[in-house]
C-alpha cells in the first residue's frame, strides 16, 4: 500500500477520482498499466506532475495493435494535442469513457469523434470513406466504398444535409438500444 | 383435431386389415401361384416406410389444421397441441389395437429425430450472440445442470426417506440421482418450440436456448456415469470411478465439440471444391453434419454438442462457398426437416404417454419431482445469475431470471433417456417413466401455455425485429476494433482481445484455406450487408412497382444497375416513403409507353383489386423483408394506387395531347437505356444480379452521352425541386403543346390543358402548388432513381425553364409529368375545398410568382421533407412549415385553383 501512495498525492488521487469514473484502486491499476507501456519513460512518482507522454510510435508499434485499423485514430482522439501522444490524463480519460459508468452520450460523443477524421464536427462522406476503407482493409474498390458510404449517410442523415452531425449520430446509435451497451471495457 | 385424426383412423383400419390379410397370403406358400396375378397386395414390403411417411403426413396435416386458426396458435404453442393430438391418436390406437403400437423409440429419437433439430439450431445460431454470452451459457449449462440434477435427485431421495414416496418405489440414492440427471436437463426441442413463439429478447433467448443445447454433454455424462454406477451397484463404486466420472465430463464435452469442429472443417473444405457440381452442395451439408452426429454418438461423446459445433463452425465458410440457390435449399431443407422432426417428436410423446403398461403412478414421487425441479431450477438460476452479474456488462435483471427459471422446459430427451433405463437394474423404472411423462407434459403444456402471458405481464423486453442497417454493421465493426485497440493499449487480454485475435487468424489462414478465392473476395461483411440491402430494396421495389416495369420490358436485369446507380435513393424512398418509387416509375412507364396506357390502367386496376391477396402474401414473408411499418406502407400503397388510377383516367381523358410529343423521344431514350444495360451485361458476362456498380457506370455513361448538355444543368440545381415544379409542369405542358417556350411567366396561356383562372391562383400561391405537387411524390432522390427516362423529359423542362428565366431546378425533371396528374387525381374534390382556403383569396400579381419561388427556395429544408410527406407517417408533419402542414390539402387547393 505504501508505495502506491507515493505515486500520487492524496489531492491528485481525489482529482482523478472526480474527473473519471474510477475508484482509487482502479486508478492505481490503470496507472500501472500505463506505466507498463513505457517503463523506462514514465516515472513512478507523479507527485511532481511530470510532463511525460507516451509517444504514439510506441503505442502504434505494439504488436497487438499492428493490425488494428483504428489505432492511430484512437490515440489521436484521446490525446490532448491530437498527435497521438498520450499523457496519463489522456490514458485515464480513455478508459473513463469506456467504463460502464460513463453515460451513453459521452460514449456516443467519443465514438463520433473517432469517426470524424477531419475534426470538423461532422461525419462527412470523406470521414466515412476513411472508416470503411479501414474496416475493409482496402478490399473494396473506391467506387464500392463510396456506394457504401452514400448509403450509410443516407440511413442516418436525419436532416438531409449530406453529412452526419453529432445529433444524427446519436439518434442513430441510440435507436438500437444494445448498441452502446457493449461499448465497455472492464479493467 | 378430429379432421386430422380421420385419415389416421383410416390408416389404422387399413393397417388392421392388412395385418389380417398377410397371414392368409403366406398361409399357402407351398402352393404354386395359379397364374400371373393381376393384382397383388404387398403391404408388408412397404409397411415400415409407409408408416413412417404416413406418420409424418399426419403430423404435417395436423400442423396445417392448427394453423388454420390464428387464434388458437397465438394462444397455445404448437408443441402443446401436438402433444394433445398425440394423446388423442394414442388413445384411438389403443382403443382399436388394444395395445399401444407406436411410441417414441429412443433409438429413432436419437438417431433420426434429434439431429435435424439440433443441426438447424446450430447452423442458424447467431454465433456472435452466442459467443458474447458464452460465459453465462456455459455456466448455466454446466453448473446449472449439475446443480439441478444433484439437488433434485438428493431431494427426492430425502422425500423417500421421509416416507412420502410409496414403498413400492424401490430406489436408492443412486437411482434417484440417475433420475435427477435425466429429468433436470432443459430440453432444446421443447425450449425451441416454445420460445420461438414467445419472442423474448435475443439475449434471453440465446441464454436459455444455448443452455439447453450445451447441457447435453453434462446430461449425457451424468446419465452414463450414474447408469454404470447403478449397474455396478453402489457398493462397488470406488473413488477412482468418481474421478473418472469427472474426467469423462471433459472428454465427452470437449470431444464432442472437437468432432463437430473437425467435421465443420471438412465440410467447409469440401464445399470449396463444388463449383462444378453445385447440385450436391446442400446434400454435403447434411451428410457431413449427420456424420458428425453419428461419429460423436459412436464414440459416446456428446452428439448434440458435435452437431451444434459443426453447424456453428461451418456456416460462415459454407455460406460463402455454396451458390445462392444451394443456400436457399439448405435453409429450407433444414427448416423443413427440423420442423418435421419436432412435430413428430411431440406427437409421439403424446402417443407414448397413453401406453399405461409402461408406467406406474406414485403421487408422492410425481408431485415431489414437479415441485423440486421448479424450485431448484429457480434457485439455481438466481444463485448463478447473482454470481454472473458480478461479471456481466449487461446484468440479467429479475424479470430475465423469472423467465429463465420458468423457461426450463423438459422434453423428449428426458423421456427417451428414461425409456432407455434397464428395468432389471433400475427396478423403479416404471415410476420414473410416469414421473417423466408428467414432468414433460407439465412443462410443455402448462409452462408452455403460460409463458407467453407471463412474458407479456412481466413486460419482458421483446426482441424487436429491425432490419440490419449498414450503419449498424459499420459501427459494430468499428466498435469492435476500437475496443480491441483499447484493450491492446492497456495490455488487458479481455474478450475483445481474443475476438480480435480470432478474427485475424480467421482472416489470415482459415478463410484463405476454406473459402473459394472468389467468395473470399466478395465476402467482406460490410459490402455483403450493402449488397443484401441492395437486393432487398430491389425486391421490394419490384414488389411494389416491378410488374409495371416488367410489363414494359424493363425487366429485372436492369434493376441492379438502376438500383446501384441511385442505390441510396431506392432504399431511402422505399423506407421512408413507402412505394413512392413505385409511383415515379409508374409515371415514367406511362409516359414512355403511351400506347400501352390501357394496359397500364388495367394493371392498376388489377393492382388495386388484388390488393388484399398481396397483403396476405406479404405478411407471410414479412419476417425477412418487411419491417414493422408494413401496414403503413400498405396504406400508402392503397393511396397511391388509387391516385394512380385516377391519374391515369384523368390523363387519358384530358391530357392525351400533352404526351404525344414527348413520347417518341422518351421511348427512344428508354430503349437506349435498355440497350446500354444489355450491352454491359453481355460485356461483363455476368448474371444480372451481380451487375452491381459496374453496370451502373455503364448506364450512367449512356445517359451522359445522350444528354450531356442537360446533365451539366442538372448538376447545378440539386436542391430546388420544390419551386421548380410548378413551372416545370406548366412549362412542359406548354412545351409539349405549343412546341415553343413562351418567354413570359404567363404559362396559363396554354388554354387547352389548364383553365386560365386556376393557374393564376397557383401563381399567386406558388409555394402552395409547389408543395402540393411535391408532397405527393418526389423526394430529392427520386430523380436519381429514374434518371434515364426522366432526364429526357427533364431536358425539355430544363430548356423551357431556362427560357422562362427561372432559377434552374434540377429536380424538376422528375416532376414534369406529375402536376397534371395530381390535378387530375384530386379534381373531383377540389372545388368544395377551394373556398375554404383563406389564402386563395390573397392574390399575388403574376409576376410575383418568382418571388414565391424564391421563398420556397429559402425554405429548402422544409420543403424537402414535404416531398415525402403524404407517403410518410404523420410524425413528420412537425417538420413542415404551417403552410405545408397538410400536403394533401395543398394539392386540393392547387387543383381547385386550376380548375
Amino acid at each position: 500500500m505504501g508505495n502506491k501512495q507515493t505515486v500520487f498525492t492524496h489531492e491528485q488521487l481525489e482529482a482523478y477520482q472526480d474527473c473519471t469514473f474510477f475508484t482509487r484502486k482502479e486508478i492505481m491499476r490503470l496507472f500501472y498499466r500505463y506505466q507498463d507501456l513505457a517503463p523506462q519513460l514514465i516515472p513512478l512518482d507523479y507527485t511532481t506532475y511530470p510532463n511525460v507522454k507516451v509517444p504514439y510510435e510506441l503505442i502504434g508499434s505494439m504488436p497487438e495493435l499492428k493490425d488494428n485499423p483504428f489505432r492511430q485514430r484512437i490515440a489521436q482522439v484521446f490525446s490532448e494535442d491530437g498527435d497521438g501522444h498520450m499523457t496519463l490524463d489522456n490514458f485515464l480519460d480513455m478508459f473513463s469513457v469506456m467504463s460502464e459508468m460513463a453515460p451513453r452520450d459521452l460514449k456516443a460523443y467519443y465514438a463520433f469523434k473517432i469517426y470524424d477524421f477531419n475534426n470538423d464536427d461532422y461525419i462527412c462522406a470523406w470521414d466515412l470513406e476513411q472508416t470503411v476503407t479501414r474496416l475493409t482493409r482496402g478490399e473494396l474498390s473506391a467506387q464500392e466504398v463510396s456506394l457504401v458510404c452514400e448509403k450509410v449517410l443516407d440511413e442516418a442523415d436525419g436532416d438531409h444535409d449530406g453529412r452526419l452531425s453529432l445529433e444524427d449520430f446519436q439518434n442513430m446509435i441510440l435507436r438500437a438500444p444494445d448498441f452502446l451497451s457493449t461499448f465497455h471495457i472492464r479493467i | 383435431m378430429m379432421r386430422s385424426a380421420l385419415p389416421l383412423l383410416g390408416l389404422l383400419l387399413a393397417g388392421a386389415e392388412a395385418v389380417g390379410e398377410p397371414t392368409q397370403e403366406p398361409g399357402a406358400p407351398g402352393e404354386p401361384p395359379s397364374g400371373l396375378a393381376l393384382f397383388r397386395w404387398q403391404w408388408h414390403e412397404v409397411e415400415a416406410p409407409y408408416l413412417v411417411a404416413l406418420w409424418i403426413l399426419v403430423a404435417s396435416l395436423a400442423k396445417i389444421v392448427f394453423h388454420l386458426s390464428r387464434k388458437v396458435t397465438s394462444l397455445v404453442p404448437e408443441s402443446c397441441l401436438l402433444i394433445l393430438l398425440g394423446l388423442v391418436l394414442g388413445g384411438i390406437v389403443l382403443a382399436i389395437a388394444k395395445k399401444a403400437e407406436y411410441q417414441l423409440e429412443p433409438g429413432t429419437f436419437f438417431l433420426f429425430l434429434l439431429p435435424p433439430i439440433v443441426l438447424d439450431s446450430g447452423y442458424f445460431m447467431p454465433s456472435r450472440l452466442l459467443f458474447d454470452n458464452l460465459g453465462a451459457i456455459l455456466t448455466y449449462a454446466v453448473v446449472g445442470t449439475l446443480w439441478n440434477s444433484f439437488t433434485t435427485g438428493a431431494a427426492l431421495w430425502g422425500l423417500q426417506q421421509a416416507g412420502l414416496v410409496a414403498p413400492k418405489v424401490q430406489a436408492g440414492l443412486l437411482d434417484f440421482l440417475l433420475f435427477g440427471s435425466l429429468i433436470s436437463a432443459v430440453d432444446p426441442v421443447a425450449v425451441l418450440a416454445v420460445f420461438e413463439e414467445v419472442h423474448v429478447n435475443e439475449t434471453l433467448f440465446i441464454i436459455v436456448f444455448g443452455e439447453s443445447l450445451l447441457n447435453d454433454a453434462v446430461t449425457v455424462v451424468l446419465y452414463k456415469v450414474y447408469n454404470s454406477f447403478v449397474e455396478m451397484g453402489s457398493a462397488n463404486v470406488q473413488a477412482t470411478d468418481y474421478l473418472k466420472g469427472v474426467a469423462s465430463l471433459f472428454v465427452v464435452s470437449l470431444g464432442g465439440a472437437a468432432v463437430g469442429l473437425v467435421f465443420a472443417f471438412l465440410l467447409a473444405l469440401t464445399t470449396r471444391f463444388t463449383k462444378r457440381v453445385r447440385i450436391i452442395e446442400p446434400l454435403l451439408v447434411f451428410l457431413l453434419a449427420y456424420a458428425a452426429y453419428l461419429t460423436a454418438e459412436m464414440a459416446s461423446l456428446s452428439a448434440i454438442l458435435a452437431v451444434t459445433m459443426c453447424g456453428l463452425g461451418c456456416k460462415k465458410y459454407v455460406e460463402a462457398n455454396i451458390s445462392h440457390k444451394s443456400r436457399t435449399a439448405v435453409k429450407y431443407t433444414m427448416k423443413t426437416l427440423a420442423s418435421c422432426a419436432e412435430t413428430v417428436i411431440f406427437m409421439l410423446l403424446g402417443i407414448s404417454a397413453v401406453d399405461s403398461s409402461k408406467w406406474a403412478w406414485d403421487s408422492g414421487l410425481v408431485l415431489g419431482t414437479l415441485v423440486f425441479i421448479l424450485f431448484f431450477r429457480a434457485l439455481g438460476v438466481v444463485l448463478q445469475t447473482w454470481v454472473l452479474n458480478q461479471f456481466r456488462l449487461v446484468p440479467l435483471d429479475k424479470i430475465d431470471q423469472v423467465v429463465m427459471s420458468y423457461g426450463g422446459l423438459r422434453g423428449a430427451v428426458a423421456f427417451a433417456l428414461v425409456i432407455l433405463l434397464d428395468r432389471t437394474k433400475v427396478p423403479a423404472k416404471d415410476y420414473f417413466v410416469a414421473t417423466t411423462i408428467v414432468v414433460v407434459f407439465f412443462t410443455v403444456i402448462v409452462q408452455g401455455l403460460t409463458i407467453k402471458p407471463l412474458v407479456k405481464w412481466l413486460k419482458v423486453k421483446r426482441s424487436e425485429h429491425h432490419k440490419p442497417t449498414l450503419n449498424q454493421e459499420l459501427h459494430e465493426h468499428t466498435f469492435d476494433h476500437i475496443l480491441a485497440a483499447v484493450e491492446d493499449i492497456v495490455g488487458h487480454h479481455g474478450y475483445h482481445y481474443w475476438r480480435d485475435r480470432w478474427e485475424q487468424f480467421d482472416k489470415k489462414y482459415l478463410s484463405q484455406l476454406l473459402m473459394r478465392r472468389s467468395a473470399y473476395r466478395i465476402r467482406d461483411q460490410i459490402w455483403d450487408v450493402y449488397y443484401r440491402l441492395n437486393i432487398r430494396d430491389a425486391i421490394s421495389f419490384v414488389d411494389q412497382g416491378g410488374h409495371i416495369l416488367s410489363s414494359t420490358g424493363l425487366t429485372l436485369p436492369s434493376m441492379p444497375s438502376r438500383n446501384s446507380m441511385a442505390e441510396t435513393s431506392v432504399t431511402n424512398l422505399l423506407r421512408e416513403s413507402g412505394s413512392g418509387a413505385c409511383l415515379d416509375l409508374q409515371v415514367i412507364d406511362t409516359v414512355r409507353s403511351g400506347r400501352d396506357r390501357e394496359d397500364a390502367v388495367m394493371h392498376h386496376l388489377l393492382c388495386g383489386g388484388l390488393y388484399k391477396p398481396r397483403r396476405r402474401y406479404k405478411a407471410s414473408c414479412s419476417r425477412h423483408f418487411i419491417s414493422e411499418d408494413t401496414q403503413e406502407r400498405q396504406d400508402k400503397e392503397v393511396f397511391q394506387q388509387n391516385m394512380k388510377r385516377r391519374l391515369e383516367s384523368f390523363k387519358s381523358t384530358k391530357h392525351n395531347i400533352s404526351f404525344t410529343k414527348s413520347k417518341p423521344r422518351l421511348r427512344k431514350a428508354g430503349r437506349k437505356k435498355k440497350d446500354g444495360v444489355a450491352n454491359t451485361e453481355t460485356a461483363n458476362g455476368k448474371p444480372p444480379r451481380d451487375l452491381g456498380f459496374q453496370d451502373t457506370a455503364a448506364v450512367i455513361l449512356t445517359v451522359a452521352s445522350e444528354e450531356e448538355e442537360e446533365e451539366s444543368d442538372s448538376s447545378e440545381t440539386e436542391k430546388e425541386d420544390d419551386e421548380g415544379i410548378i413551372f416545370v409542369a406548366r412549362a412542359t405542358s406548354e412545351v409539349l403543346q405549343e412546341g415553343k417556350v413562351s418567354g413570359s411567366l404567363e404559362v396559363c396561356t396554354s388554354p387547352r390543358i389548364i383553365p386560365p383562372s386556376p393557374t393564376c391562383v397557383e401563381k399567386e400561391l406558388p409555394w402552395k402548388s409547389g408543395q402540393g405537387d411535391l408532397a405527393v411524390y418526389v423526394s430529392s432522390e427520386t430523380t436519381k432513381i429514374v434518371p434515364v427516362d426522366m432526364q429526357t423529359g427533364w431536358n425539355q423542362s430544363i430548356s423551357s425553364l431556362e427560357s422562362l428565366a427561372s432559377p434552374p431546378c434540377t429536380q424538376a425533371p422528375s416532376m414534369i409529368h406529375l402536376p397534371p396528374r395530381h390535378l387530375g387525381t384530386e379534381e373531383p374534390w377540389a372545388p368544395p375545398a377551394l373556398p375554404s382556403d383563406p389564402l386563395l383569396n390573397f392574390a399575388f400579381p403574376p409576376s410575383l410568382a418568382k418571388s414565391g419561388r424564391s421563398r420556397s427556395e429559402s425554405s429548402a429544408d422544409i420543403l424537402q421533407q414535404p416531398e415525402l410527406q403524404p407517403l410518410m407517417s404523420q410524425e413528420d408533419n412537425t417538420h413542415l412549415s404551417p403552410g405545408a402542414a397538410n400536403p394533401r390539402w395543398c394539392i386540393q387547393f392547387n387543383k381547385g385553383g386550376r380548375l
Side-chain angles (χ1 to χ4, degrees):
Chain A
M1 239 25 199
N3 61 343
K4 272 183 192 171
Q5 295 304 336
T6 59
V7 177
F8 299 113
T9 61
H10 190 68
E11 291 74 31
Q12 271 177 314
L13 270 180
E14 296 262 289
Y16 279 132
Q17 267 176 286
D18 287 346
C19 299
T20 64
F21 297 99
F22 295 123
T23 63
R24 190 170 293 216
K25 227 167 115 189
E26 285 167 325
I27 290 170
M28 287 316 294
R29 203 181 323 152
L30 277 173
F31 170 75
Y32 286 116
R33 298 269 196 178
Y34 178 67
Q35 212 262 339
D36 272 348
L37 282 178
Q40 69 283 13
L41 217 65
I42 298 165
L44 272 171
D45 177 15
Y46 252 73
T47 48
T48 56
Y49 299 96
N51 183 21
V52 191
K53 293 174 178 177
V54 176
Y56 171 69
E57 293 73 40
L58 210 78
I59 298 173
S61 61
M62 288 168 72
E64 296 94 334
L65 275 176
K66 207 175 68 219
D67 292 319
N68 198 304
F70 289 97
R71 57 184 189 278
Q72 192 175 6
R73 190 61 208 152
I74 291 167
Q76 279 171 359
V77 164
F78 286 100
S79 71
E80 263 164 304
D81 38 12
D83 54 7
H85 307 320
M86 295 203 110
T87 63
L88 176 62
D89 294 10
N90 301 151
F91 191 77
L92 286 177
D93 260 354
M94 180 163 82
F95 285 98
S96 181
V97 170
M98 295 293 174
S99 102
E100 294 152 67
M101 311 289 291
R104 288 171 143 223
D105 284 347
L106 189 70
K107 285 175 188 289
Y109 174 68
Y110 273 97
F112 178 81
K113 273 183 77 164
I114 288 175
Y115 281 109
D116 182 19
F117 280 87
N118 54 9
N119 299 320
D120 62 352
D121 291 333
Y122 285 97
I123 299 178
C124 57
W126 186 80
D127 293 327
L128 275 178
E129 274 169 31
Q130 294 291 308
T131 313
V132 173
T133 315
R134 277 159 203 249
L135 277 179
T136 55
R137 288 159 217 254
E139 278 172 23
L140 298 185
S141 71
Q143 210 168 356
E144 285 168 313
V145 168
S146 67
L147 278 174
V148 170
C149 293
E150 206 179 310
K151 180 146 195 150
V152 171
L153 269 181
D154 238 52
E155 273 178 1
D157 189 5
D159 48 13
H160 299 287
D161 59 353
R163 53 188 191 174
L164 303 185
S165 60
L166 179 59
E167 220 170 289
D168 286 334
F169 186 76
Q170 280 177 335
N171 269 342
M172 186 264 307
I173 224 165
L174 296 180
R175 212 186 306 152
D178 305 337
F179 219 63
L180 279 180
S181 61
T182 52
F183 203 49
H184 300 306
I185 284 186
R186 262 200 198 171
I187 303 302
Chain B
M1 219 174 273
M2 278 319 289
R3 251 181 291 171
S4 55
L6 283 180
L8 181 88
L9 206 59
L11 157 73
L12 289 172
L13 292 176
E17 283 170 31
V19 169
E21 250 174 275
T23 50
Q24 296 170 353
E25 266 183 61
E31 256 175 60
S34 52
L36 187 65
L38 269 182
F39 182 80
R40 278 175 66 200
W41 189 258
Q42 299 182 325
W43 168 249
H44 269 282
E45 284 177 28
V46 296
E47 182 180 1
Y50 207 104
L51 280 179
V52 169
L54 278 172
W55 273 119
I56 296 174
L57 181 68
V58 170
S60 312
L61 288 178
K63 235 176 164 157
I64 295 176
V65 172
F66 296 152
H67 282 276
L68 283 182
S69 158
R70 201 169 274 271
K71 212 171 162 189
V72 172
T73 39
S74 71
L75 284 177
V76 186
E78 210 181 79
S79 45
C80 298
L81 290 173
L82 282 168
I83 282 194
L84 293 176
L85 171 70
L87 277 176
V88 171
L89 290 186
I92 293 170
V93 173
L94 195 67
I96 291 172
K98 303 291 179 218
K99 63 183 178 105
E101 288 256 7
Y102 311 99
Q103 65 154 339
L104 192 58
E105 296 291 343
T108 322
F109 172 72
F110 281 118
L111 289 185
F112 301 111
L113 292 177
L114 191 54
I117 298 174
V118 181
L119 175 62
D120 171 66
S121 48
Y123 193 78
F124 294 107
M125 175 95 72
S127 53
R128 162 131 197 178
L129 210 55
L130 178 78
F131 284 109
D132 280 353
N133 296 293
L134 193 63
I137 292 172
L138 277 179
T139 312
Y140 290 120
V142 178
V143 180
T145 309
L146 286 174
W147 157 267
N148 281 345
S149 67
F150 282 127
T151 48
T152 310
L156 284 175
W157 181 69
L159 203 66
Q160 192 204 30
Q161 297 302 101
L164 292 174
V165 175
K168 291 174 292 181
V169 184
Q170 302 168 333
L173 177 59
L174 268 180
D175 297 279
F176 278 120
L177 284 177
L178 174 62
F179 179 63
S181 77
L182 65 87
I183 202 70
S184 61
V186 177
D187 183 70
V189 184
V191 166
L192 204 60
V194 169
F195 270 70
E196 260 186 352
E197 296 177 21
V198 177
H199 303 298
V200 294
N201 62 71
E202 289 99 341
T203 314
L204 195 51
F205 174 76
I206 200 75
I207 287 180
V208 177
F209 179 57
E211 177 201 341
S212 70
L213 270 183
L214 300 188
N215 69 13
D216 172 67
V218 182
T219 314
V220 167
V221 169
L222 281 179
Y223 180 78
K224 281 185 182 149
V225 168
Y226 286 136
N227 211 3
S228 48
F229 283 180
V230 167
E231 283 173 10
M232 282 190 285
S234 51
N236 304 326
V237 178
Q238 287 155 9
T240 51
D241 291 324
Y242 291 108
L243 284 181
K244 273 186 204 163
V246 174
S248 74
L249 176 62
F250 289 96
V251 171
V252 167
S253 55
L254 297 181
V259 168
L261 289 179
V262 166
F263 275 91
F265 182 82
L266 287 179
L267 176 52
L269 200 60
T270 324
T271 51
R272 198 189 154 171
F273 303 104
T274 52
K275 193 172 183 182
R276 293 177 202 288
V277 273
R278 293 283 194 198
I279 199 71
I280 61 162
E281 279 169 347
L283 188 65
L284 278 175
V285 174
F286 290 104
L287 279 185
L288 277 164
Y290 194 45
Y293 186 89
L294 292 181
T295 310
E297 189 77 48
M298 183 177 69
S300 57
L301 303 172
S302 166
I304 290 185
L305 213 52
V307 84
T308 306
M309 293 309 284
C310 183
L312 205 58
C314 75
K315 184 182 184 193
K316 181 177 165 192
Y317 310 104
V318 169
E319 294 271 284
N321 282 336
I322 64 180
S323 73
H324 188 74
K325 281 181 184 167
S326 304
R327 227 173 294 164
T328 314
V330 168
K331 184 176 163 191
Y332 276 93
T333 318
M334 220 173 251
K335 293 278 177 209
T336 309
L337 285 178
S339 140
C340 175
E342 189 187 280
T343 311
V344 170
I345 286 174
F346 281 116
M347 208 171 72
L348 284 181
L349 259 184
I351 291 177
S352 314
V354 176
D355 184 4
S356 57
S357 67
K358 287 240 172 69
W359 48 270
W361 181 269
D362 180 72
S363 309
L365 185 67
V366 169
L367 287 179
T369 312
L370 270 182
V371 170
F372 287 143
I373 61 163
L374 286 175
F375 173 71
F376 287 120
R377 164 99 187 154
L379 189 63
V381 165
V382 169
L383 289 178
Q384 290 171 80
T385 311
W386 182 79
V387 175
L388 282 171
N389 274 347
Q390 311 293 313
F391 301 99
R392 278 181 70 86
L393 285 178
V394 190
L396 296 162
D397 55 19
K398 290 229 165 53
I399 290 174
D400 289 340
Q401 294 176 36
V402 171
V403 175
M404 280 163 60
S405 333
Y406 203 67
L409 306 178
R410 272 66 164 181
V413 173
F415 181 77
L417 287 177
V418 84
I419 293 285
L420 275 179
L421 287 178
D422 186 353
R423 195 190 305 257
T424 54
K425 302 280 169 37
V426 187
K429 181 189 171 186
D430 288 351
Y431 294 98
F432 289 157
V433 171
T435 314
T436 309
I437 287 175
V438 171
V439 167
V440 169
F441 277 36
F442 179 83
T443 54
V444 172
I445 294 178
V446 177
Q447 285 176 237
L449 268 175
T450 47
I451 197 161
K452 214 169 188 178
L454 183 77
V455 162
K456 241 180 231 160
W457 181 64
L458 289 174
K459 298 194 179 61
V460 176
K461 220 168 75 188
R462 301 296 193 93
S463 73
E464 52 218 49
H465 220 82
H466 53 91
K467 38 187 166 183
T469 62
L470 208 52
N471 269 299
Q472 196 176 331
E473 187 72 19
L474 193 73
H475 299 316
E476 217 164 73
H477 281 261
T478 316
F479 283 10
D480 283 352
H481 282 301
I482 294 171
L483 289 171
V486 173
E487 282 196 353
D488 286 341
I489 289 176
V490 80
H492 174 77
H493 290 193
Y495 174 63
H496 302 287
Y497 170 82
W498 288 112
R499 188 167 63 206
D500 200 47
R501 280 294 91 90
W502 162 254
E503 267 169 19
Q504 281 175 28
F505 172 74
D506 175 59
K507 201 148 206 154
K508 272 188 192 148
Y509 306 107
L510 271 184
S511 294
Q512 305 274 6
L513 180 64
L514 296 179
M515 278 189 202
R516 244 168 246 174
R517 201 127 303 167
S518 55
Y520 180 66
R521 167 70 188 78
I522 312 172
R523 198 194 51 88
D524 189 87
Q525 276 166 314
I526 292 178
W527 181 250
D528 194 49
V529 170
Y530 174 76
Y531 186 74
R532 266 186 286 135
L533 287 177
N534 205 359
I535 297 266
R536 194 197 59 203
D537 292 339
I539 288 172
S540 55
F541 195 70
V542 172
D543 226 26
Q544 306 207 341
H547 17 271
I548 295 149
L549 278 181
S550 54
S551 73
T552 54
L554 237 184
T555 42
L556 203 58
S558 69
M559 287 301 301
S561 63
R562 175 184 293 248
N563 240 353
S564 43
M565 192 158 167
E567 171 46 29
T568 46
S569 56
V570 174
T571 328
N572 228 18
L573 270 180
L574 290 176
R575 191 176 54 240
E576 290 180 5
S577 66
S579 47
C582 163
L583 195 62
D584 276 326
L585 279 177
Q586 186 45 44
V587 172
I588 311 163
D589 173 57
T590 46
V591 171
R592 287 178 55 231
S593 54
R595 64 190 161 152
D596 293 338
R597 195 170 304 137
E598 265 180 29
D599 265 341
V601 171
M602 210 51 213
H603 215 103
H604 285 215
L605 220 64
L606 281 177
C607 286
L610 291 179
Y611 175 65
K612 268 195 177 173
R614 266 177 75 204
R615 172 160 75 169
R616 205 181 298 152
Y617 164 71
K618 273 185 182 172
S620 71
C621 68
S622 62
R623 233 171 271 163
H624 306 292
F625 296 121
I626 297 170
S627 59
E628 60 275 47
D629 61 350
T630 320
Q631 187 55 47
E632 197 185 325
R633 190 186 285 177
Q634 280 159 358
D635 291 342
K636 287 173 210 154
E637 205 183 344
V638 173
F639 169 69
Q640 284 179 347
Q641 275 165 0
N642 289 339
M643 285 285 273
K644 271 188 276 176
R645 256 209 309 267
R646 291 218 182 88
L647 286 171
E648 286 295 333
S649 57
F650 180 73
K651 187 191 64 187
S652 56
T653 53
K654 293 220 169 178
H655 287 266
N656 255 343
I657 333 141
S658 66
F659 290 99
T660 49
K661 268 212 171 178
S662 63
K663 237 191 292 170
R665 210 186 155 179
L666 290 173
R667 205 181 296 157
K668 204 175 78 188
R671 203 166 295 152
K672 267 197 182 173
K673 181 197 175 184
K674 258 182 266 168
D675 289 351
V677 173
N679 286 342
T680 50
E681 262 172 53
T682 50
N684 289 347
K686 279 185 178 180
R689 282 250 168 172
D690 294 339
L691 285 178
F693 56 92
Q694 291 112 323
D695 214 3
T696 325
V699 173
I700 289 173
L701 275 183
T702 60
V703 173
S705 63
E706 244 181 271
E707 333 178 324
E708 253 169 290
E709 339 87 45
E710 286 93 346
E711 200 83 38
S712 57
D713 289 346
S714 66
S715 55
E716 310 168 13
T717 52
E718 276 297 317
K719 298 232 164 175
E720 308 174 4
D721 39 358
D722 358 312
E723 25 142 352
I725 288 152
I726 322 154
F727 292 92
V728 177
R730 276 311 153 56
T732 345
S733 48
E734 218 181 8
V735 171
L736 294 175
Q737 294 210 345
E738 304 177 0
K740 283 241 170 183
V741 184
S742 65
S744 72
L745 284 174
E746 288 286 342
V747 206
C748 28
T749 49
S750 59
R752 266 170 294 176
I753 306 181
I754 309 143
S757 63
T759 25
C760 289
V761 175
E762 230 194 350
K763 264 187 216 159
E764 289 155 18
L765 306 168
W767 64 92
K768 274 228 147 192
S769 56
Q771 280 166 1
D773 291 342
L774 284 176
V776 187
Y777 308 99
V778 184
S779 81
S780 58
E781 285 104 346
T782 316
T783 40
K784 287 188 218 154
I785 301 189
V786 284
V788 183
D789 305 287
M790 277 318 201
Q791 276 167 13
T792 34
W794 165 71
N795 294 339
Q796 301 171 349
S797 71
I798 280 289
S799 55
S800 64
L801 274 177
E802 277 170 358
S803 60
L804 283 175
S806 63
C809 31
T810 14
Q811 296 294 352
S814 59
M815 290 309 305
I816 296 176
H817 301 285
L818 287 177
R821 291 193 181 176
H822 294 290
L823 296 176
T825 351
E826 305 281 353
E827 196 177 13
W829 313 312
L834 181 59
S836 69
D837 186 11
L839 282 180
L840 280 179
N841 302 328
F842 174 70
F844 284 103
S847 59
L848 275 188
K850 230 186 166 182
S851 70
R853 199 187 281 163
S854 64
R855 190 166 154 186
S856 58
E857 202 176 334
S858 66
S859 57
D861 234 13
I862 300 168
L863 285 173
Q864 232 159 359
Q865 306 253 359
E867 297 163 13
L868 301 171
Q869 182 52 28
L871 306 175
M872 288 168 70
S873 56
Q874 280 91 346
E875 56 192 9
D876 274 37
N877 275 339
T878 52
H879 298 290
L880 299 174
S881 67
N886 196 334
R888 282 192 211 182
W889 285 111
C890 292
I891 302 174
Q892 288 189 3
F893 295 143
N894 180 5
K895 220 168 293 151
R898 286 203 178 190
L899 292 172

